[in-house]
Amino acid sequence: MSLLQLQSIRSFYGQIEALHDISLHVQQGEIVTLIGSNGAGKSTTLKAICGQVKTTGTILFEGNEIQSQPPHTIAELGIAHVPEGRRIFPGLTVKENLEMGAFQVKDKKQITERMERVFQYFPRVKERLSQKGGTMSGGEQQMLAIGRGLMMNPKILLLDEPSMGLAPVVVEQIFEIIQKLNQSGMTILLVEQNAYQALQIADRGYVIQTGSIALQDHADVLLGNEQIREAYLA
Amino acid sequence: MQEILSTLPQVLLDGLTLGAIYAVVALGYTMVYGILELINFAHGEIFMAGAFIGTALLFTFVDIGLALNWLTLILVLLLASLLTGVLGVGIERIAYRPLRKAPKLIPLISAVGISFILQDLVRFIAEYKTGNYIVTGQTVFENKIAIPAFSIGGYDVHASAIKSNTLVVIGIAVLIMIVLDIFVNRTKWGIAMRAVAQDRDTAALMGINVNKVIALTFFIGSAIGGATGVLYAQQYATINPFIGFILGLKAFTAAVLGGIGNIRGAMFGGLLIGLLEVFAAANLGILTGGALGAEYKDVFAFIILILVLIFKPAGLFGQAVKEKV
Ligand SMILES: Nc1ncnc2c1ncn2[C@@H]1O[C@H](COP(=O)(O)OP(=O)(O)O)[C@@H](O)[C@H]1O
Ligand SMILES: [Mg+2]
């Protein structure tokens, strides 16, 4: 059984159908990447999983249908979505941002433990705890956004273009951390335009084109595919 | 100068009292605006409803032979807060939530409609019960505290007398503001409230039930607005179903002055408008050599508002809460 499975998903913005018949799955422990050009429907796919966009079809998480649940309930089930553009709460301090990730947790000790774990991955975040989220650099915000997602102690992490707008060195760091997280057991669905780097750390990949899955295969196969090379890796 | 100084203690106290009332009502506007970008026009009427509920409760207490003292007042404040809090939540649920995705003007119209409904409803009940919609209620603290005349730096300051209720109003309003400030800045639900105000969709992704947070915001804003209505009725004795309109407008102005969406800004704006208004009422005649009388006090306060907005369009403490990335 897959941890997460999308079956024939269609999503709509008003009358406009942005996703047509998307099916994909993520197994426990995998990094799966969803690549495609701007406007292809990558973010919409993640929004469909999280109940943020009107969707038909079936979404199974741990075997249970979740497609009719509101976003906060889906989060509670163990799906952490680190949205495109990081979406840090700008007026909240770094610490408050992290605390919001653990909103569902009542036990103070558990919150502290989770925070310590985030600091292991992102020591920089620890140095900035009392700073306002909005005053941090793009790279730091991305680290905080992933850290905030980890505070949910999720079963799967959905990352929407974590490399967007970041300097190559920083992108390198972020991808290293994603890999480290996966090695420690985290299942990851990684949305990227940066196809080359995403495929390098992924187990499998899906290529999305104008709302439909055009190709799917093991990451190394996709990396060697001529079409992909021309379209996304040039 | 001598004339202005001589009445200053009285002006300051009256200004602080009125300002404290504006400030707490302004909090309700600013909290709801911060979270929904909605000007909750019905908030003035919630304040008014609080004043009537408090008055009705006190009449009932007298009828059943309860003594009126600080304990009864606290009981009345709590009950009126609870009822107006529930009223606010109900209004959000019925009149605003179904319109949340509609253009901003639509819920605003809905809010104006709720205002009229509440005014007429209270008017109907008041006339039905008392035969008149203007009601003079029971005052819990009737005694006055005398402040003797004194002089500073060669200026004589007149003796003044303040109602002991003045201290009650200022004391409770300040207490409400302190507790709210701690709630918003230090508690999990308070932080969630700010998170939802800044980015509702992302807050939901964190597992925050956004509707619950919005309902909580309405509950708190309305409850403290209702409590302020009780204090108002105690301070000024006579109330009518339309007191929420002008007072709401001024409280809203205070919220804008402080930077709408900003909680500390609303507190400061309320106190400032209250002080300016009372100062103008007492001294406009003196300052203008008799050309303008006390009735121009509102113009004075609004000119200050306009001047502030010209130089600081976001208000005195604007965008401290609502920063966009
Ligand atoms: N809020 C929205 N309202 C209307 N259309 C949208 C909205 N968000 C995205 N779209 C449209 O849906 C399609 C897919 O967008 P998106 O999922 O954001 O693409 P990607 O993340 O792959 O760049 C695009 O055509 C885009 O214009
Ligand atoms: Mg996108």
Side-chain angles (χ1 to χ4, degrees), chain B residues 39-52:
Chain B
I39 300 169
N40 180 14
F41 254 102
H43 188 59
E45 274 59 48
I46 288 180
F47 158 85
M48 177 275 292
F52 272 88

Side-chain angles (χ1 to χ4, degrees), chain B residues 4 7 52 63 82 94 106 126 129 177-178 185 201 236 238 240 274 295 302:
Chain B
I4 292 175
T7 57
F52 272 88
D63 280 350
L82 185 69
I94 294 167
I106 312 289
K129 288 279 185 194
M177 290 190 258
I178 291 172
N185 288 306
D201 290 342
Y236 304 109
T238 301
N240 69 62
E295 64 276 16
F302 280 89

Side-chain angles (χ1 to χ4, degrees), chain A residues 189-216:
Chain A
L189 176 55
L190 171 65
V191 158
E192 264 300 341
Q193 273 196 68
N194 198 335
Y196 182 71
Q197 260 165 316
L199 285 170
Q200 276 192 322
I201 63 167
D203 298 301
R204 293 186 299 116
Y206 291 85
V207 180
I208 184 169
Q209 253 169 24
T210 56
S212 305
I213 299 292
L215 262 176
Q216 62 181 79

Side-chain angles (χ1 to χ4, degrees), chain A residues 128-147:
Chain A
R128 312 258 153 149
L129 282 182
S130 55
Q131 192 177 329
K132 286 265 162 71
T135 63
M136 299 207 300
S137 72
E140 290 165 343
Q141 286 196 6
Q142 188 61 59
M143 292 179 188
L144 175 57
I146 298 175

Side-chain angles (χ1 to χ4, degrees), chain A residues 141-187:
Chain A
Q141 286 196 6
Q142 188 61 59
M143 292 179 188
L144 175 57
I146 298 175
R148 187 178 61 178
L150 291 175
M151 289 297 287
M152 297 166 74
N153 199 21
K155 294 173 182 151
I156 187 169
L157 197 56
L158 315 180
L159 299 172
D160 197 343
E161 299 207 38
S163 72
M164 186 196 260
L166 302 182
V169 206
V170 185
V171 175
E172 203 68 50
Q173 285 176 359
I174 300 268
F175 274 77
E176 255 169 49
I177 289 165
I178 294 172
Q179 224 170 350
K180 249 180 29 193
L181 279 168
N182 177 249
Q183 279 155 9
S184 72
M186 182 66 70
T187 309

Side-chain angles (χ1 to χ4, degrees), chain A residues 87 90-91 96 103-105, chain B residues 188 194 198-199 205 207 323:
Chain A
R87 305 286 282 267
E96 289 169 338
F103 184 77
Q104 301 279 355
V105 185
Chain B
K188 186 163 105 170
R194 288 187 286 140
Q198 288 167 33
D199 190 336
L205 292 179
E323 312 160 67

Side-chain angles (χ1 to χ4, degrees), chain A residues 115-133:
Chain A
M115 230 179 252
E116 286 304 325
R117 214 183 111 216
V118 169
F119 298 153
Q120 282 173 13
Y121 288 104
F122 304 108
R124 286 259 284 287
V125 169
K126 188 176 182 175
E127 297 160 18
R128 312 258 153 149
L129 282 182
S130 55
Q131 192 177 329
K132 286 265 162 71

